[in-house]
Amino acid sequence: MKNITTFSELVNHLAEQGMRKNVAVVWAADESTQHAVAQAITDGFITATFVGCEKQLREQAFLLPLLDHITFVDAPTPDDAAAIAVGLVREKKADILMKGLINTDNLLRAILNKETGILPRGNVLTHITAADIPTYDRLLLFTDPAVIPFPTHEQRIKQVEYLATMCRKMGIDEPRIALNHCSEKANEKHFPYTVGYQQIIGMAHEGAFGRCIVDGPLDVKTSCCAASLRTKGIDSPIEGQANAIVFPNIEAGNAFYKTITLFAGAQTAGLLQGPTAPVVVSSRSDSTQSKYYSLAVAAMCS
Amino acid sequence: MKNITTFSELVNHLAEQGMRKNVAVVWAADESTQHAVAQAITDGFITATFVGCEKQLREQAFLLPLLDHITFVDAPTPDDAAAIAVGLVREKKADILMKGLINTDNLLRAILNKETGILPRGNVLTHITAADIPTYDRLLLFTDPAVIPFPTHEQRIKQVEYLATMCRKMGIDEPRIALNHCSEKANEKHFPYTVGYQQIIGMAHEGAFGRCIVDGPLDVKTSCCAASLRTKGIDSPIEGQANAIVFPNIEAGNAFYKTITLFAGAQTAGLLQGPTAPVVVSSRSDSTQSKYYSLAVAAMCS
């Protein structure tokens, strides 16, 4: 696979592949979800199963030319739509799950349902964002800006595993994953999780995450800037070229997310990982473009 | 005072004022400290007392034309220089303290010394950064990316107090201070400090911090972007125009700091607040320009 460094390249790659993944969309009553799905169908990498809202969707002129790639499934309420869409994923009739106009908590309840849900035992539900930052020379994945407040050591191991897998599916043969911290020294007293970092690095050496390079603690700058690494006199196999960052907590992950989008012109795509299929859970405030890119990343990673 | 929105305007304002503050520089053996001080002298807002390194400094050609504004004080070692420079601040012979080539911990020991130090009882030592972000329409101050790992409620109150005072000294009559969190809802269970935010906002209403607006929890985007605030349907008296942000912990503060400098082209100036004079403690990896701007912010705030 050729090297994908931007969302445009990602979308072009998907179009060239000519393979469509099926997304089950839960209660697509909002136009930005409808437009994002329509664009992904038009660009050739998605077919959609809209669960609920059929009447409303059939009235949208921009969907009419795409009906060959659309299926409708009836659902009386958003909660019913969530249960049905999750069922489609469980029966492998859908490759991707997408949230429309439904409360995230309600969708999560359907995903996490012990009898009928799609989170395998031992998996962890976590949020991964892929970012296309104009001032960085590659796509940057990071976790977790939105779901797990303070990941435990075991949850962090899963986060590294998901990032390594996602990066490889996106064409990075040997992903470089930075374990983030405000300094480059492990500190047992104030930041006990940084001691856990050493163990995760050891696991990576032993091949626990497949082919990848894991290092840390590193801050954002020493993770993504070779010059900063040299100035600080630090040796890291990531060499300032991180493909992914694991943040220690949701406050740091969220500050990073909001800062690159607000001040650095980044485009982002967000996914839940852990369930048997990637879940697109953009919030109302996300742009249509962000939802569209989320579908593209999900199509690469499903 | 006119509205200062960039570091250039800040420096111009200082030059127009024509008032010099005296900085005591501890062991200025590194060229970037020397150049930053020389530039601030040239631009008319600083006189320098170099403590230690006289012989080496007298050999620097670029300092020769500035000797009218330079005093030398002898010191055999960096630690002695720290103690002497702190003494100059205590005796009000220096308005600003600046770190040269000395370990930060060693300088802090001199500052924190109970007999001879300069941190009044009841004050808190915390790091405040001022940032000039090209994509933001004003200077943005924030705390704490470097010193206090997990501020207590009492420490956070002091941080708000210091930010309010610094902003006003920098010409903002009614500073808008955002208490940062990853969401806009206080959450007692996972994020107990967000409950403390409500109390700090109450204190601000009662005038505890002088004239200012304090609000939160707000994320980086709803703090600094009116459109994001509207999209989310949130009412905040900060109106997406924060002058300052208090981050909940060092991980979030540091991620913000590193991200704006690496990906958003921000210039930064860093200061310790709490001691009787501002302390410029740039690290080796900071640029000469960053040290120069730190002196400018310190000159405004001392």
Side-chain angles (χ1 to χ4, degrees):
Chain A
M1 195 189 301
K2 63 182 172 189
N3 200 4
I4 293 169
T5 63
T6 65
F7 284 152
S8 306
E9 290 171 12
L10 177 71
V11 168
N12 289 341
H13 173 82
L14 285 166
E16 281 166 22
Q17 293 286 99
M19 199 167 71
R20 291 179 186 270
K21 298 287 176 74
N22 187 36
V23 58
V25 192
V26 179
W27 207 260
D30 61 307
E31 293 223 344
S32 80
T33 296
Q34 297 164 8
H35 280 291
V37 173
Q39 189 64 47
I41 295 175
T42 304
D43 290 348
F45 60 87
I46 284 291
T47 59
T49 303
F50 285 113
V51 186
C53 309
E54 175 169 357
K55 184 160 176 290
Q56 182 188 343
L57 290 162
R58 283 195 183 274
E59 284 166 5
Q60 292 290 27
F62 63 90
L63 288 174
L64 293 181
L66 309 173
L67 287 179
D68 279 358
H69 301 288
I70 294 176
T71 310
F72 294 100
V73 174
D74 196 31
T77 71
D79 283 358
D80 293 314
I84 293 167
V86 164
L88 292 174
V89 169
R90 207 176 48 246
E91 296 158 18
K92 301 200 186 304
K93 290 177 184 160
D95 310 295
I96 302 163
L97 186 64
M98 184 178 192
K99 169 176 127 71
L101 204 62
I102 176 175
N103 204 301
T104 302
D105 287 347
N106 292 28
L107 179 59
L108 289 183
R109 248 195 301 279
I111 291 171
L112 300 174
N113 186 297
K114 280 187 186 148
E115 314 263 294
T116 58
I118 50 171
L119 186 74
R121 182 194 286 263
N123 276 20
V124 160
L125 190 79
T126 189
H127 189 284
I128 294 182
T129 302
D132 183 343
I133 310 172
T135 45
Y136 196 44
D137 68 352
R138 62 198 67 207
L139 291 175
L140 184 62
L141 276 63
F142 61 96
T143 187
D144 177 330
V147 172
I148 307 179
F150 302 99
T152 62
H153 182 63
E154 288 66 34
Q155 289 173 323
R156 189 164 289 121
I157 290 170
K158 284 288 176 188
Q159 290 178 326
V160 173
E161 180 188 317
Y162 299 159
L163 283 173
T165 306
M166 266 184 80
C167 283
R168 284 191 298 260
K169 285 189 176 171
M170 290 173 75
I172 302 152
D173 292 335
E174 189 174 40
R176 299 172 185 221
I177 303 171
L179 304 175
N180 178 268
H181 180 52
C182 52
S183 102
E184 283 72 30
K185 288 178 198 149
N187 180 323
E188 188 167 4
K189 186 177 162 204
H190 291 302
F191 309 100
Y193 60 80
T194 57
V195 177
Y197 286 5
Q198 310 305 314
Q199 197 194 325
I200 295 174
I201 294 165
M203 290 174 65
H205 278 298
E206 288 162 11
F209 309 111
R211 194 172 168 202
C212 66
I213 297 170
V214 179
D215 196 32
L218 290 166
D219 71 21
V220 169
K221 230 164 160 174
T222 46
S223 297
C224 299
C225 174
S228 291
L229 202 64
R230 276 194 302 274
T231 306
K232 280 200 172 178
I234 297 164
D235 245 342
S236 166
I238 289 178
E239 297 176 309
Q241 301 173 38
N243 301 107
I245 300 178
V246 182
F247 284 97
N249 54 42
I250 199 169
E251 292 106 334
N254 192 273
F256 181 74
Y257 176 77
K258 299 296 163 65
T259 304
I260 55 171
T261 49
L262 181 60
F263 292 129
Q267 294 286 346
T268 57
L271 291 181
L272 292 182
Q273 289 282 299
T276 55
V279 184
V280 176
V281 283
S282 327
S283 68
R284 272 171 309 157
S285 63
D286 284 327
S287 64
T288 298
Q289 198 168 33
S290 172
K291 292 178 189 182
Y292 166 72
Y293 288 140
S294 299
L295 277 173
V297 173
M300 283 297 285
C301 298
S302 65
Chain B
M1 194 189 301
K2 64 182 171 189
N3 199 4
I4 292 169
T5 63
T6 65
F7 283 153
S8 306
E9 288 171 13
L10 177 71
V11 168
N12 288 340
H13 172 82
L14 284 166
E16 282 168 20
Q17 293 285 100
M19 199 167 72
R20 291 180 187 268
K21 299 287 176 76
N22 186 36
V23 58
V25 191
V26 179
W27 208 261
D30 61 307
E31 293 223 343
S32 80
T33 297
Q34 296 163 8
H35 280 291
V37 173
Q39 189 63 46
I41 295 173
T42 304
D43 290 349
F45 59 85
I46 285 291
T47 59
T49 303
F50 285 113
V51 186
C53 309
E54 176 169 356
K55 184 158 176 287
Q56 183 188 342
L57 290 161
R58 284 197 183 272
E59 283 166 6
Q60 293 288 26
F62 63 89
L63 288 174
L64 292 181
L66 310 173
L67 287 178
D68 278 359
H69 301 289
I70 294 176
T71 309
F72 294 100
V73 174
D74 197 31
T77 71
D79 284 358
D80 292 314
I84 292 166
V86 164
L88 292 174
V89 170
R90 209 177 45 246
E91 295 158 18
K92 299 198 187 307
K93 291 177 183 160
D95 310 296
I96 303 164
L97 186 64
M98 184 178 192
K99 169 176 128 71
L101 205 62
I102 177 176
N103 204 303
T104 303
D105 287 346
N106 292 29
L107 179 58
L108 289 183
R109 248 195 300 279
I111 292 171
L112 299 175
N113 186 298
K114 280 187 185 146
E115 315 262 294
T116 58
I118 51 173
L119 186 74
R121 182 193 287 263
N123 276 19
V124 161
L125 190 77
T126 190
H127 189 282
I128 294 182
T129 301
D132 183 343
I133 310 172
T135 46
Y136 197 44
D137 68 351
R138 63 198 66 207
L139 291 176
L140 184 63
L141 276 63
F142 61 96
T143 186
D144 177 331
V147 172
I148 307 180
F150 302 99
T152 63
H153 182 63
E154 287 65 35
Q155 288 173 323
R156 188 164 290 121
I157 289 169
K158 283 288 175 189
Q159 291 178 326
V160 173
E161 181 188 316
Y162 298 159
L163 282 173
T165 305
M166 266 184 79
C167 283
R168 283 191 299 260
K169 284 189 176 169
M170 291 173 74
I172 303 153
D173 292 335
E174 190 174 39
R176 298 171 185 221
I177 302 172
L179 304 175
N180 179 267
H181 180 51
C182 52
S183 103
E184 283 72 29
K185 288 176 198 148
N187 180 324
E188 187 168 3
K189 186 179 161 202
H190 292 301
F191 309 102
Y193 59 81
T194 57
V195 176
Y197 285 7
Q198 311 306 312
Q199 197 194 326
I200 295 174
I201 294 165
M203 290 174 65
H205 278 299
E206 288 163 12
F209 309 112
R211 195 174 167 198
C212 66
I213 296 169
V214 179
D215 196 32
L218 290 166
D219 70 21
V220 168
K221 228 164 161 174
T222 46
S223 297
C224 299
C225 173
S228 292
L229 201 65
R230 276 194 303 272
T231 306
K232 282 201 172 179
I234 298 164
D235 247 344
S236 165
I238 289 178
E239 298 175 311
Q241 301 172 39
N243 301 108
I245 299 179
V246 182
F247 284 98
N249 53 42
I250 200 169
E251 293 106 334
N254 192 273
F256 181 74
Y257 175 77
K258 300 294 162 68
T259 304
I260 55 171
T261 48
L262 181 59
F263 292 129
Q267 294 286 345
T268 57
L271 291 181
L272 292 183
Q273 289 281 297
T276 54
V279 183
V280 176
V281 283
S282 326
S283 67
R284 272 171 307 157
S285 63
D286 283 328
S287 64
T288 297
Q289 198 168 32
S290 173
K291 292 178 189 182
Y292 166 73
Y293 289 139
S294 299
L295 277 173
V297 173
M300 283 296 286
C301 297
S302 65

